Amino acid sequence: MKTDIQIAQEAKILNISKIAEKLNISQDDFDIYGKYKAKLNLSLLDKLSSKKDGKLILVTAITPTPAGEGKSTVTVGLTQAFNRLGKSSVAALREPSLGPVFGMKGGATGGGYSQVIPMEDINLHFTGDFHAIGVAHNLVSACLDNHITQGNSLNIDITKITWKRVVDMNDRNLRNVVIGLGGKANGYPRQDSFQITVASEIMATLCLSNSLKELKENIGNMVFGYDYNDKPLTIKDLKIAGAVTALLKDAIRPNLVQTLENTPVIIHGGPFANIAHGCNSLIATKLALKLSDYAITEAGFAADLGAEKFLDIKCRKGDLKPNCIVIVATVRALKHHGGAKLLNEENLDALQLGMANLDKHIENMYKFNLPVVVAINKFATDTDAEIQMIKSHCEKLNAPVALCDVWAKGGEGGEELAEIILDKLSKNKDNYTPLYDLSLPISEKISTICTEIYGADKVNFSPNAKKTIKKLEELGYSNLPICMSKTQKSISDKANLLGRPTGFTVEIDTIKLAAGAGFIIAMAGGIIDMPGLPKIPAAELIDIDDNGVISGLF
């Protein structure tokens, strides 16, 4: 069996100008980055402002196994399927982070015959967006430490600095560090820490900004710490919002690439789905809606994390009106939630038990008043009996379901799913409503998510969390949406609770403000923002030959 990278390297890839022609984009609307990548100009949104938006389809998933359930693969295969059916469709995806690429999960551009190419470029440095975001973030770190060294006229309390440094790599040794050692000439000693670049507030802010002007304003509003009187201090106070934004002038522009079947894809941004909202940029999604009749996008991890944040944060921020939800389910993940240990062997009993996880995600998406379609992402080890059991179960729930074989067959393997979605869209009115009202108190919004989406009996707030909530409400931040930070391994906040947990309490440990991004982070379960590498990282499998051909990249 060929690997993903072998399939991608054998594909017939078109010059990116040919892909732009399919979208009726003129040469003035993009800049070419080599033969197969391009940066779209922000002015393109203005040029298309009078054009009616297409339909917005979100691809999400049930609670995954550690390797993921193929949301990106289904998203790519589905857009290929729409185009095979003669429909205009553009996928809008996130950019991969180098940390997971060299860590456990490998590449993140789809798989098999439903991939985005050039996959080596996209999975590695791509067009430099993440590097720009990392440098912009660390400019803030350098300037705030320099400000303290040069006299500290802002009276920054070094014990209340909330701004961390970043690097786009899984490096657990950087979670807690001491900086400024070596004497007065090298600054002042203090405890610091690193987070992975995708967890940076600048990443989240760039993805939730509608223009360069708005990005600059949002960056200026970011709180990096507090003074000795407990007053919040912003990047605007450091007088560097313009400089930080200048580093992002190209990074804010979405990237145009293509699938294996030469259909257009816009890839842009990649906020960490545990810490931030886990969706591609608003600008990319809005361009996909203007450039096609069916824009297909995805959100990180399962529906309890990515989809909830997409619907409650991103859609509100961008005034988006989603039209349909696709929930990706796999036989192996459902067996995992039913207690099976050997996921590649038929186990109908475990599969039946695991259906409870799918049921909860379907129920949750209905709470947003949106139509739901289930996609069974097929793996080679799935048996006919297992697939039929899932189909029968979904039919009892009156949930449309389709077998999706896009890994092996590309767009052809997604045509059944595409046709079911088209049928749903033709019959359903646009009734999308968020889960909660922004005017509710912070604690009540958090409790609503935990009880309604996770199924918790109650929510406990630590003394520190209660104190921070009180402070944020006093500072006027109470009307912001909530960005939950918890494990992706369970619908609950406890990784070991599989299936559909009940009778549990969510423990909110920490509350953080992301004033630039425009949300409040509620942290449960001690989620870390700097992952570590596994015992055998994917980096050990990646190689390059004398001719520059890369292997082992998934």
Side-chain angles (χ1 to χ4, degrees):
M1 183 182 295
K2 294 179 181 178
T3 63
D4 288 347
I5 193 168
Q6 288 173 329
I7 293 170
Q9 288 170 344
E10 293 174 2
K12 181 182 178 182
I13 187 167
L14 299 180
N15 189 291
I16 198 63
S17 297
K18 297 294 184 183
I19 303 301
E21 286 178 12
K22 293 185 177 186
L23 297 173
N24 296 314
I25 296 176
S26 75
Q27 295 281 349
D28 295 332
D29 295 324
F30 63 93
D31 291 323
I32 291 176
Y33 277 56
K35 294 181 180 179
Y36 310 120
K37 300 167 289 184
K39 277 279 186 187
L40 298 174
N41 293 334
L42 298 184
S43 58
L44 184 57
L45 261 180
D46 293 330
K47 289 176 65 173
L48 297 170
S49 60
S50 62
K51 188 176 183 296
K52 183 180 178 182
D53 285 351
K55 298 290 186 180
L56 180 56
I57 301 163
L58 173 68
V59 177
T60 184
I62 63 172
T63 307
T65 57
E69 302 318 304
K71 288 192 310 297
S72 297
T73 301
V74 170
T75 302
V76 174
L78 184 56
T79 194
Q80 291 181 153
F82 269 104
N83 281 284
R84 282 177 60 90
L85 294 174
K87 308 296 182 182
S88 167
S89 176
V90 172
L93 302 174
R94 293 174 294 164
E95 298 178 48
S97 166
L98 288 175
V101 167
F102 290 107
M104 180 182 292
K105 293 187 72 173
T109 51
Y113 290 90
S114 291
Q115 295 187 63
V116 185
I117 50 177
M119 71 95 82
E120 304 99 309
D121 292 8
I122 298 167
N123 278 311
L124 298 178
H125 301 285
F126 201 19
T127 56
D129 293 346
F130 282 21
H131 295 293
I133 289 167
V135 171
H137 182 109
N138 290 331
L139 173 61
V140 177
S141 298
C143 287
L144 78 86
D145 281 318
N146 179 65
H147 181 90
I148 296 171
T149 300
Q150 301 294 348
N152 196 9
S153 62
L154 289 174
N155 293 315
I156 301 170
D157 185 341
I158 66 170
T159 67
K160 295 178 181 176
I161 294 173
T162 56
W163 194 265
K164 300 181 179 183
R165 286 169 160 81
V166 299
V167 62
D168 193 28
M169 194 56 61
N170 292 359
D171 193 346
R172 62 171 56 84
N173 284 45
L174 294 177
R175 287 174 185 165
N176 293 285
V177 299
V178 176
I179 62 171
L181 300 179
K184 187 176 180 180
N186 297 309
Y188 60 97
R190 73 174 178 90
Q191 188 172 349
D192 200 359
S193 61
F194 279 75
Q195 57 187 174
I196 194 166
T197 299
V198 290
S200 165
E201 187 180 348
I202 289 182
M203 171 70 81
T205 302
L206 181 142
C207 289
L208 289 172
S209 297
N210 289 287
S211 65
L212 192 62
K213 179 182 178 182
E214 184 180 340
L215 175 61
K216 181 179 175 180
E217 181 180 343
N218 291 339
I219 286 173
N221 291 333
M222 291 182 188
V223 173
F224 66 81
Y226 296 82
D227 68 11
Y228 292 116
N229 295 316
D230 221 21
K231 174 190 171 185
L233 297 170
T234 67
I235 292 177
K236 194 182 300 179
D237 293 323
L238 287 173
K239 302 178 182 178
I240 58 169
V244 173
T245 309
L247 287 167
L248 304 171
K249 70 178 183 66
D250 290 322
I252 194 175
R253 298 167 58 194
N255 308 289
L256 179 65
V257 284
Q258 62 191 290
T259 71
L260 291 177
E261 297 180 14
N262 310 122
T263 61
V265 177
I266 300 174
I267 295 186
H268 193 218
F272 202 173
N274 285 117
I275 303 298
H277 60 293
C279 308
N280 68 293
S281 76
L282 268 177
I283 294 174
T285 301
K286 288 186 173 184
L287 276 172
L289 285 166
K290 292 296 185 185
L291 291 168
S292 70
D293 294 328
Y294 299 93
I296 305 171
T297 190
E298 53 140 14
F301 295 132
D304 56 300
L305 274 172
E308 185 273 317
K309 295 175 185 179
F310 176 89
L311 296 164
D312 280 326
I313 297 175
K314 180 175 177 177
C315 288
R316 276 201 253 230
K317 176 67 174 178
D319 194 27
L320 300 176
K321 299 292 188 287
N323 305 101
C324 183
I325 304 289
V326 176
I327 298 179
V328 177
T330 61
V331 168
R332 63 177 193 167
L334 291 170
K335 289 190 293 189
H336 169 69
H337 286 286
K341 302 301 180 184
L342 301 175
L343 302 184
N344 292 333
E345 295 183 5
E346 184 178 281
N347 188 334
L348 297 179
D349 291 336
L351 181 62
Q352 184 62 54
L353 287 173
M355 295 290 189
N357 185 269
L358 172 61
D359 294 352
K360 177 58 175 167
H361 287 299
I362 292 173
E363 291 173 21
N364 284 345
M365 294 301 96
Y366 281 147
K367 291 176 181 179
F368 295 91
N369 292 317
L370 287 167
V372 173
V373 176
V374 176
I376 306 171
N377 188 24
K378 189 177 187 303
F379 282 71
T381 54
D382 298 345
T383 68
D384 291 342
E386 289 172 326
I387 291 170
Q388 186 54 49
M389 178 176 279
I390 300 174
K391 285 187 173 182
S392 298
H393 183 83
C394 290
E395 287 167 1
K396 291 176 184 177
L397 298 175
N398 291 319
V401 58
L403 181 63
C404 193
D405 197 8
V406 294
W407 192 95
K409 298 180 179 179
E412 180 186 356
E415 288 185 10
E416 179 188 2
L417 176 61
E419 288 171 345
I420 290 175
I421 293 171
L422 288 170
D423 180 65
K424 267 289 183 183
L425 292 175
S426 69
K427 296 177 180 177
N428 283 270
K429 296 180 180 179
D430 298 338
N431 294 317
Y432 154 72
T433 52
L435 182 69
Y436 54 83
D437 194 291
L438 291 178
S439 64
L440 292 173
I442 294 172
S443 59
E444 191 170 335
K445 286 183 281 195
I446 294 170
S447 295
T448 298
I449 296 170
C450 293
T451 56
E452 291 289 323
I453 301 299
Y454 308 156
D457 281 355
K458 63 177 181 176
V459 181
N460 282 342
F461 295 86
S462 70
N464 181 56
K466 290 179 180 178
K467 180 181 177 182
T468 305
I469 288 173
K470 185 174 183 293
K471 179 195 292 185
L472 294 181
E473 289 177 339
E474 290 171 351
L475 292 171
Y477 292 112
S478 61
N479 286 337
L480 295 179
I482 303 300
C483 184
M484 293 296 298
S485 172
K486 74 171 189 71
T487 180
Q488 74 276 16
K489 297 177 181 179
S490 170
I491 295 178
S492 74
D493 62 331
K494 298 163 182 65
N496 63 327
L497 297 183
L498 301 180
R500 180 176 184 164
T502 57
F504 65 93
T505 298
V506 173
E507 304 287 346
I508 302 297
D509 310 317
T510 307
I511 300 292
K512 294 183 177 181
L513 173 65
F519 52 68
I520 292 167
I521 302 170
M523 303 189 73
I527 289 296
I528 55 176
D529 53 12
M530 171 53 80
L533 293 172
K535 186 173 183 179
I536 303 177
E540 293 186 16
L541 307 175
I542 298 170
D543 202 0
I544 186 169
D545 68 16
D546 296 343
N547 297 314
V549 178
I550 295 173
S551 60
L553 194 62
F554 211 59

